[in-house]
Amino acid sequence: MKKRIFAMVVLLTMALSLVACSDKKANAKEEEYFADEDFMKDLAKGLETRWSFDSEHDDKTQDIASYSKEHKEYYEKLVDSELDSISKYMDEKFKDSKLKESAVSYINALNEQKEAAKYIVASPQQYEKDWEAARVKRAKLLESFVRDYGLTVSDEYQDILDEFMITSQTAKEEDQLKEQFAQMTENLQFAVNDDGYGNKTCTAEVHNITDKNFKQLQFQVNLLDGNNTIVQSTYGHVNNINADQKAVLEFMTNKDFVGTDVTIDFWEEAE
């Protein structure tokens, strides 16, 4: 009898322990923190802090010489005013993995702008190139935050956010255009007409697969030897080519070559 009672006590104790463990696990699961909501709030806060900082110092910046040490310091502070609100989310856990990826990408874009600011004095062209590239990255990400996660800002800053939406759309259209340009040039086959004195006229048919009419397309043509080494870089132009229209691209050279690498490096749309 005593053994039976002891066994029942042991079983009851084990059952209670299992229940307690289950409760602890359930509570731990309920209390698990995800940063998704807080990030979106702090993202809006950081944007408004940055735009407020820029607005408050607008009069002072007019007195700062371009590409000076003061210019550099101002832009570093400008980026930090936004980074301070969201940099901590690099290591936070998100429920939405796509949002986490976008959050990290956005923070990286801010760091790229801060890095670009280092070149303001020593290399202004490098600064402008890197700063603008990071700005476009931010614009694309901000558009996705607005579209997919409901990012909003105060009414006084809505115009600035709207400008970023326009920048994002313009950048995406340009990305698509560049992809189409790459398709237009990747398989060009040039017919070569040698005049007998070493001068060659080279022609190929170009098809405008975009939905745009162009006043001018400029093609950079790299001539390649058998080792894929560039032996000459030259240019060709196609003028007044409409959407879905074909035209002849022509260039002249006195170099021997076995292949080409062609890119469109300048374009002007027709009015």
Side-chain angles (χ1 to χ4, degrees), residues 223-231 258-261:
L223 308 183
L224 310 174
D225 66 12
N227 295 318
N228 213 36
T229 300
I230 298 173
V231 296
V258 297
T260 59
D261 179 28

Side-chain angles (χ1 to χ4, degrees), residues 164-215:
F164 272 99
M165 300 302 100
I166 294 171
T167 297
S168 174
Q169 188 59 39
T170 300
K172 288 181 178 179
E173 290 174 359
E174 185 170 317
D175 289 344
Q176 181 182 13
L177 191 60
K178 288 179 178 178
E179 289 178 7
Q180 292 174 315
F181 284 164
Q183 294 174 37
M184 288 166 58
T185 59
E186 65 180 346
N187 294 315
L188 287 180
Q189 298 295 322
F190 286 93
V192 180
N193 182 21
D194 194 323
D195 67 359
Y197 298 96
N199 299 311
K200 306 174 185 68
T201 300
C202 308
T203 58
E205 184 180 77
V206 176
H207 182 198
N208 179 8
I209 63 173
T210 76
D211 61 356
K212 300 183 184 300
N213 302 328
F214 294 99
K215 183 178 180 180

Side-chain angles (χ1 to χ4, degrees), residues 15-234:
L16 290 173
S17 297
L18 288 172
V19 170
C21 289
S22 297
D23 288 343
K24 286 181 180 178
K25 289 180 180 178
N27 290 335
K29 192 171 183 180
E30 289 175 3
E31 294 172 3
E32 186 174 10
Y33 172 72
F34 293 106
D36 304 48
E37 186 175 345
D38 286 339
F39 169 74
M40 292 305 302
K41 290 178 180 177
D42 285 339
L43 175 63
K45 177 185 174 183
L47 286 167
E48 294 193 5
T49 300
R50 175 176 182 152
W51 296 336
S52 174
F53 179 90
D54 198 25
S55 177
E56 291 172 2
H57 294 80
D58 187 50
D59 292 338
K60 295 180 181 178
T61 56
Q62 294 179 16
D63 297 327
I64 295 177
S66 297
Y67 310 122
S68 64
K69 180 181 178 182
E70 291 76 15
H71 185 179
K72 170 181 172 292
E73 291 174 349
Y74 175 78
Y75 272 84
E76 288 175 338
K77 290 178 181 178
L78 182 67
V79 176
D80 279 338
S81 67
E82 184 176 4
L83 265 175
D84 287 346
S85 294
I86 62 172
S87 59
K88 62 185 177 183
Y89 291 100
M90 284 288 286
D91 301 318
E92 291 287 1
K93 187 174 182 180
F94 285 64
K95 190 172 185 178
D96 186 326
S97 60
K98 184 179 177 182
L99 178 58
K100 167 70 174 183
E101 182 180 347
S102 296
V104 170
S105 295
Y106 189 81
I107 294 168
N108 285 337
L110 288 174
N111 283 318
E112 287 168 15
Q113 282 199 311
K114 190 172 181 180
E115 186 68 22
K118 295 180 180 179
Y119 293 100
I120 287 178
V121 178
S123 181
Q125 289 185 333
Q126 186 68 44
Y127 147 68
E128 290 180 356
K129 177 185 175 183
D130 294 350
W131 182 275
E132 178 62 14
R135 188 184 74 87
V136 171
K137 286 183 184 179
R138 290 177 58 227
K140 290 178 180 178
L141 289 163
L142 286 173
E143 184 189 15
S144 71
F145 290 137
V146 170
R147 181 186 65 244
D148 300 330
Y149 301 102
L151 172 67
T152 59
V153 295
S154 303
D155 290 344
E156 63 180 305
Y157 298 112
Q158 187 60 48
D159 288 347
I160 303 177
L161 184 59
D162 289 343
E163 288 176 7
F164 272 99
M165 300 302 100
I166 294 171
T167 297
S168 174
Q169 188 59 39
T170 300
K172 288 181 178 179
E173 290 174 359
E174 185 170 317
D175 289 344
Q176 181 182 13
L177 191 60
K178 288 179 178 178
E179 289 178 7
Q180 292 174 315
F181 284 164
Q183 294 174 37
M184 288 166 58
T185 59
E186 65 180 346
N187 294 315
L188 287 180
Q189 298 295 322
F190 286 93
V192 180
N193 182 21
D194 194 323
D195 67 359
Y197 298 96
N199 299 311
K200 306 174 185 68
T201 300
C202 308
T203 58
E205 184 180 77
V206 176
H207 182 198
N208 179 8
I209 63 173
T210 76
D211 61 356
K212 300 183 184 300
N213 302 328
F214 294 99
K215 183 178 180 180
Q216 180 184 171
L217 291 175
Q218 176 173 284
F219 296 76
Q220 178 176 328
V221 185
N222 291 329
L223 308 183
L224 310 174
D225 66 12
N227 295 318
N228 213 36
T229 300
I230 298 173
V231 296
Q232 184 184 19
S233 292
T234 186

